[in-house]
Amino acid sequence: MSRAKICDVAVVGAGVFGAWTALHLAKRGKRVLLLDAYGPGHSRSSSGDESRIIRMGYGADEIYTQWSMRSLAQWKELFAATRNEALFKKTGVLWLAEAGNAQQSATKEVLKRNGVAFNEWGREELSERYPQINIDGIASGIYEPESGVLMARRAVAAVVAEVVRLGAEYRLAEVLAPNGTGKTPRLNTTNSSEPFYADQFIFACGAWLAKLFPEVLGKRIFPTRQTVFYMGVPAGDARFSSPALPTWLIKNDESYGMPDIESRGFKVALDRHGEAADPDTQPRIVAAKEVEEIRGYVARRFPALKEAPITETRVCQYENSSNGDFLIDRHPELSNVWFVGGGSGHGFKHGPAVGEYMAGQVLGGGKAEPRFSLASKETVQRRIVF
Ligand SMILES: Cc1cc2nc3c(=O)[nH]c(=O)nc-3n(C[C@H](O)[C@H](O)[C@H](O)COP(=O)(O)OP(=O)(O)OC[C@H]3O[C@@H](n4cnc5c(N)ncnc54)[C@H](O)[C@@H]3O)c2cc1C
């Protein structure tokens, strides 16, 4: 490889954040090189599962409601332009919560203020509409009819295909970060390891950010093990498919799930942070105690699925920041190196808005949001964004 500059901006990481950043930069006429060590939306990345929820409700964290709205419009626009409409499933999203849940009340206010359509249902209406859910301990629900599910790994592939169609290059390669004495990133492929040059480098490396930049991010990105289960629904039973069952979140239980989409099964997971995880090496097989926990949970909330077989599982990682806010900022010492990450278990839906914001920061002219700064990231976890 020549020592000449090979692009204007190198985007390292083709998960949802890197792919959308590359797309916004390519749309603004930049020569972009998008790189990934394992491939876009691969099964060890956080963007790699079949599906991710897109919802507008974020309690009082209005910036995320607004970014979700902005992002849903861009996802739909991309899917329409690339004939990928099936990658968004408008299942509706139902938030269930106990009496007096502060996040639910704040969500209603923010949704109203931002003109997001929603319904509010009490216990009676919930049990009539959703007899397949045991609503013990639940006081009310908010239903977002326009929200739903993004078909995650295929959606990332669609973004990368669009990036390439616009003239950018995608390459399978591992990038070694500029650390310590080596100030130039290096490109590692099967046959070579060489320095490479660009005006700007954006590291959109999810949970790997902590490993790539140990001095700066080793204590500021907290990757945690998260398990996801798909369960086979009873034969001929439509109660666990859309529209009978929407995508759901239950605040009391720190749980979420989706109806049976594309016949893969009813999806269910706990949103509690698991143990610390290494994204390269953590075991991707679920443990017996994780199976037992989810079985107990499903039997309680969805009694008709008590005996349902587990048809598929995924083990993934959240790449948490200290409080759940994204990290989108410049490296503290290297002025042409940027970080974008900290999706913290809720980032997927925001890919388009994150990419747009990142492009604005790198190319200049974008207003900086203090919540996304490196300076705001603590070394102790205290989750506030859900
Ligand atoms: C179980 C689970 C459920 C979730 N549910 C939701 C949800 O319902 N809704 C929602 O909005 N969000 C959800 N999220 C969060 C969301 O999926 C993540 O925040 C988002 O996918 C993060 O994307 P990313 O691009 O930052 O990281 P990743 O998708 O992990 O991508 C990072 C990429 O960087 C590459 N990379 C790393 N190091 C290098 C290197 N040195 N050289 C080259 N490439 C490199 C990796 O190979 C990887 O492809 C969930 C996450 C998990 C794990």
Side-chain angles (χ1 to χ4, degrees):
M1 183 184 305
S2 94
R3 288 175 67 85
K5 182 177 92 166
I6 53 176
C7 58
D8 298 324
V9 188
V11 180
V12 184
V16 74
F17 283 180
W20 271 101
T21 298
L23 182 54
H24 278 288
L25 289 166
K27 278 186 175 170
R28 291 178 66 170
K30 294 290 144 192
R31 269 198 312 156
V32 178
L33 173 61
L34 175 63
L35 301 139
D36 201 288
Y38 298 110
H42 64 87
S43 55
R44 275 180 280 186
S45 71
S46 296
S47 307
D49 191 7
E50 295 305 310
S51 47
R52 293 285 183 253
I53 301 172
I54 181 158
R55 57 172 156 95
M56 308 298 130
Y58 260 95
D61 291 310
E62 193 156 357
I63 187 167
Y64 291 111
T65 297
Q66 290 170 347
W67 273 32
S68 247
M69 294 169 71
R70 201 176 180 77
S71 292
L72 181 55
Q74 290 189 40
W75 279 115
K76 285 188 185 167
E77 198 182 310
L78 173 80
F79 294 156
T82 58
R83 301 194 171 175
N84 278 309
E85 285 90 346
L87 297 183
F88 171 61
K89 312 281 187 205
K90 202 173 85 169
T91 61
V93 173
L94 178 68
W95 285 68
L96 299 174
E98 73 279 15
N101 182 285
Q103 204 193 2
Q104 205 182 42
S105 334
T107 295
K108 283 187 278 184
E109 289 313 308
V110 172
L111 294 185
K112 265 186 226 153
R113 197 159 50 237
N114 286 276
V116 178
F118 72 96
N119 302 91
E120 194 184 351
W121 292 320
R123 281 180 62 79
E124 201 172 321
E125 193 145 19
L126 285 172
S127 50
E128 265 166 36
R129 285 176 182 271
Y130 307 111
Q132 67 279 58
I133 309 178
N134 166 7
I135 60 164
D136 278 0
I138 288 167
S140 61
I142 294 178
Y143 177 69
E144 297 178 14
E146 299 301 319
S147 297
V149 171
L150 296 159
M151 300 312 289
R153 67 182 175 80
R154 286 186 283 150
V156 173
V159 181
V160 174
E162 185 62 3
V163 169
V164 171
R165 196 190 65 80
L166 291 179
E169 187 184 350
Y170 165 74
R171 229 187 263 179
L172 179 74
E174 181 193 26
V175 176
L176 301 189
N179 269 316
T181 50
K183 295 282 186 214
T184 308
R186 294 181 73 85
L187 205 57
N188 259 1
T189 59
T190 314
N191 301 318
S192 64
S193 172
E194 303 188 43
F196 77 116
Y197 299 88
D199 290 340
Q200 309 276 350
F201 294 89
I202 299 174
F203 285 84
C205 297
W208 287 266
L209 281 172
K211 296 178 82 174
L212 278 170
F213 296 94
E215 296 99 340
V216 186
L217 299 179
K219 294 199 167 87
R220 290 186 168 79
I221 297 288
F222 308 83
T224 54
R225 174 182 171 87
Q226 307 297 145
T227 51
V228 170
F229 296 81
Y230 292 81
M231 304 188 92
V233 300
D237 190 338
R239 288 174 299 167
F240 299 98
S241 302
S242 183
L245 184 69
T247 294
W248 52 271
L249 299 99
I250 304 185
K251 294 309 297 176
N252 324 31
D253 304 345
E254 300 175 283
S255 64
Y256 65 90
M258 292 173 197
D260 181 7
I261 292 173
E262 297 181 346
S263 312
R264 288 200 100 88
F266 165 90
K267 179 172 172 176
V268 57
L270 298 176
D271 182 41
R272 292 171 210 144
H273 289 172
E275 61 204 37
D278 179 312
D280 288 302
T281 59
Q282 72 154 321
R284 302 285 170 170
I285 306 290
V286 293
K289 66 174 194 297
E290 293 165 334
V291 172
E292 196 184 326
E293 184 179 34
I294 209 74
R295 280 214 162 282
Y297 179 68
V298 169
R300 179 163 71 83
R301 278 291 178 214
F302 298 89
L305 296 179
K306 187 165 181 263
E307 305 296 336
I310 293 172
T311 48
E312 292 183 38
T313 59
R314 296 283 195 285
V315 179
C316 174
Q317 64 280 327
Y318 285 173
E319 57 305 310
N320 305 291
S321 65
S322 51
N323 67 359
D325 273 328
F326 302 151
L327 165 65
I328 315 176
D329 203 352
R330 205 190 285 267
H331 189 290
E333 284 148 26
L334 304 169
S335 61
N336 68 338
V337 172
W338 298 80
F339 306 129
V340 53
S344 307
H346 71 103
F348 193 92
K349 64 182 84 56
H350 298 288
V354 166
E356 194 173 31
Y357 177 90
M358 182 79 263
Q361 296 302 298
V362 170
L363 302 183
K367 188 171 163 277
E369 164 58 50
R371 289 182 76 157
F372 304 143
S373 68
L374 177 61
S376 69
K377 303 296 171 284
E378 306 285 345
T379 54
V380 175
Q381 265 191 288
R382 195 175 60 85
R383 189 179 186 185
I384 59 163
V385 180
F386 290 88

